[in-house]
Amino acid sequence: MTNTEELKPIESVKRDQLKREKPYVYEKIMKYDGKIKRGESIAILQFQYDYTCNFLCEHCCITKLRRKSIGGCALPTNTTSTVIKQGDKSFTPDDVKELCRQADEMGLAHFVITGGEPLVFTDFDKIVEAVDPQKFYITSDTNGWFLDEKRAKHLKDIGVDKVQISLDSLSAAEHDNFRKHAGAHEKVLRAIDAAKNAGLNVLVQTVVTKQRVRSQEFEDFLKFLNNEKGVPVFITYAKPVGDWEGNFDAMVNQEEMDYVRELEKKYNVFTHLTPSYGLDLGCIAVKRMVSITKYGDIMPCPYMHVSLGNFFKEPLKDIFERGLNTKQFGQYYESCYMAEDRKFIDKYIAGRVYGKKLPVPYNEVFTEEDFIKPSERKLYKD
């Protein structure tokens, strides 16, 4: 494990900014090292408040999460509403407040509002207020369509710290086709500038497939965003879930992940496997991230559609404990189960998740052989 002196310069700058602007959040983050050593999670809460969206992206990973059943018949969600079965509970701002109260008690500090497309949510401001910007570092995902100068300034004013904007090609035609929305590329570039001008931290998220990872387009993409736009790039490796269920040809391998690690030495680019806060956690599922569905299920990550428990039925801390007592998440693993590990995918995901109503309960996916004692946890690499 690395220490504070080994932080990247950009991390040190952001940490100093956080100390000035959100001292309570800063104090929580400064305790991360100790929490990890004690086998405790420092998870980002990736919160799928609603699945409403104005796009129909090719790779959408929440397509089947946004479907409910009436009379036993699965119905697809359109771009403006979600079908809710009688008895299904979904989050309200008051529920968000309770979620964040429990998360704060656990020492968690980072909250990501996602969807769907968060900037179409009519109660977005209420969600931010319920999270409490003084207690959490708040990021909002967005496809950029609605993020103009006025909206960006408003986000900054209400306490949002960062926007994570999706862009998947330098080519407008390729990006718009991938996102299935004409004009999307132009709006993303506008959104990047608007967010920067408003004083928001800006991160561009891009999907990388096996076919793209070594391409000249991808390296030119990094050069453009780093040098022309002055923003970092977060790589999301293609996963065989959602609308890409069974799309194993798009998955990268270890050699291609190693190639990306070399790119990290040249560009301001990173993946979820990149050490941060001075910590090398490998796979970050549960230990550094959980994903929370609209209906309260806590999943190990956004791409592993397995419910570790439901927030509306038991305390958040108990659900985290269950996750960390699963060896795949409570012990260090240097790669990504969902992006590269075909053995894991074939056994646990294709074998036990595909074809079922999502998310699948943890006890239908993991068996006795998968569980460990708390004393056997090892969340980090020495």
Side-chain angles (χ1 to χ4, degrees):
M1 183 178 308
T2 56
N3 57 35
T4 303
E5 285 69 33
E6 293 172 317
L7 294 175
K8 294 179 180 179
I10 191 169
E11 284 187 298
S12 296
V13 170
K14 289 183 177 179
R15 184 171 286 192
D16 289 342
Q17 179 186 9
L18 186 65
K19 185 177 182 179
R20 294 192 307 271
E21 296 180 358
K22 295 190 173 184
Y24 180 74
V25 178
Y26 171 81
E27 289 300 324
K28 287 196 285 186
I29 289 174
M30 291 303 292
K31 297 176 182 177
Y32 275 3
D33 188 271
K35 286 175 67 64
I36 285 295
K37 287 180 178 178
R38 292 192 299 271
E40 299 174 13
S41 174
I42 56 170
I44 297 167
L45 301 178
Q46 196 254 18
F47 181 48
Q48 302 168 1
Y49 179 73
D50 192 72
Y51 297 129
T52 304
C53 190
N54 59 318
F55 279 20
L56 290 168
C57 302
E58 176 183 313
H59 69 311
C60 184
C61 72
I62 54 90
T63 302
K64 294 181 180 181
L65 290 172
R66 68 200 292 191
R67 292 174 179 167
K68 290 291 173 177
S69 61
I70 293 180
C73 298
L75 297 176
T77 301
N78 61 29
T79 57
T80 59
S81 64
T82 300
V83 177
I84 302 177
K85 183 178 65 176
Q86 185 177 6
D88 280 325
K89 179 171 174 55
S90 58
F91 275 95
T92 66
D94 283 343
D95 296 320
V96 176
K97 186 178 295 186
E98 174 59 20
L99 172 69
C100 292
R101 184 194 67 78
Q102 293 186 32
D104 181 46
E105 285 187 350
M106 294 169 62
L108 305 181
H110 193 165
F111 200 92
V112 177
I113 303 171
T114 189
E117 167 53 40
L119 298 191
V120 305
F121 301 165
T122 57
D123 51 357
F124 183 90
D125 289 14
K126 292 181 180 179
I127 303 168
V128 174
E129 181 181 2
V131 174
D132 191 343
Q134 293 308 307
K135 293 182 178 178
F136 289 88
Y137 186 89
I138 301 175
T139 298
S140 179
D141 287 342
T142 181
N143 57 39
W145 189 265
F146 296 105
L147 189 58
D148 57 15
E149 295 275 352
K150 181 179 179 181
R151 190 69 185 276
K153 184 178 184 303
H154 177 73
L155 294 184
K156 179 68 174 178
D157 289 344
I158 65 173
V160 174
D161 298 284
K162 180 195 288 185
V163 287
Q164 187 163 282
I165 306 172
S166 296
L167 179 65
D168 293 300
S169 178
L170 283 180
S171 164
E174 288 181 6
H175 175 81
D176 291 1
N177 183 61
F178 188 73
R179 296 284 167 175
K180 298 183 181 178
H181 207 302
H185 189 272
E186 179 183 356
K187 291 290 182 68
V188 170
L189 298 182
R190 179 202 65 177
I192 293 170
D193 293 338
K196 288 182 62 181
N197 292 339
L200 290 163
N201 289 321
V202 182
L203 180 65
V204 167
Q205 177 174 307
T206 194
V207 177
V208 172
T209 62
K210 186 179 189 69
Q211 294 74 26
R212 188 186 185 207
V213 63
R214 293 182 184 271
S215 70
Q216 186 61 48
E217 179 275 331
F218 181 52
E219 188 156 359
D220 290 343
F221 180 91
L222 299 178
K223 291 177 183 177
F224 171 75
L225 287 163
N226 284 183
N227 301 332
E228 300 298 322
K229 291 296 183 182
V231 295
V233 176
F234 174 66
I235 291 174
T236 297
Y237 289 122
K239 318 287 196 311
V241 296
D243 285 339
W244 273 3
E245 184 176 294
N247 185 6
F248 304 121
D249 291 341
M251 293 173 59
V252 298
N253 58 30
Q254 278 292 344
E255 289 183 358
E256 287 148 353
M257 284 182 160
D258 289 341
Y259 172 76
V260 170
R261 291 186 180 96
E262 290 302 310
L263 290 179
E264 290 183 43
K265 299 175 183 178
K266 298 169 58 178
Y267 303 104
N268 190 1
V269 58
F270 57 98
T271 74
H272 63 289
L273 298 172
T274 305
S276 62
Y277 296 109
L279 303 170
D280 182 355
L281 305 180
C283 170
I284 63 172
V286 184
K287 59 180 73 73
R288 182 68 182 118
M289 168 173 276
V290 296
S291 189
I292 305 170
T293 74
K294 175 176 179 173
Y295 305 103
D297 289 294
I298 312 296
M299 304 187 299
C301 81
Y303 310 101
M304 197 177 297
H305 297 155
V306 178
S307 176
L308 297 172
N310 190 286
F311 166 74
F312 296 128
K313 298 178 180 178
E314 58 184 320
L316 190 66
K317 185 176 181 179
D318 292 353
I319 300 172
F320 269 72
E321 285 295 299
R322 181 178 297 125
L324 291 174
N325 288 335
T326 308
K327 68 180 180 183
Q328 288 83 358
F329 315 127
Q331 295 181 335
Y332 179 84
Y333 179 64
E334 66 180 359
S335 191
C336 174
Y337 289 114
M338 295 303 299
E340 181 272 335
D341 191 333
R342 277 300 302 274
K343 288 184 179 179
F344 176 87
I345 291 171
D346 289 345
K347 179 177 180 179
Y348 293 95
I349 305 303
R352 302 176 185 177
V353 174
Y354 282 3
K356 295 184 178 180
K357 181 181 177 182
L358 304 180
V360 179
Y362 73 96
N363 55 4
E364 295 181 18
V365 179
F366 299 108
T367 62
E368 186 176 349
E369 67 178 7
D370 298 305
F371 293 102
I372 59 174
K373 299 175 182 178
S375 60
E376 297 177 289
R377 294 179 192 170
K378 180 64 180 297
L379 306 186
Y380 61 94
K381 182 178 181 180
D382 290 315

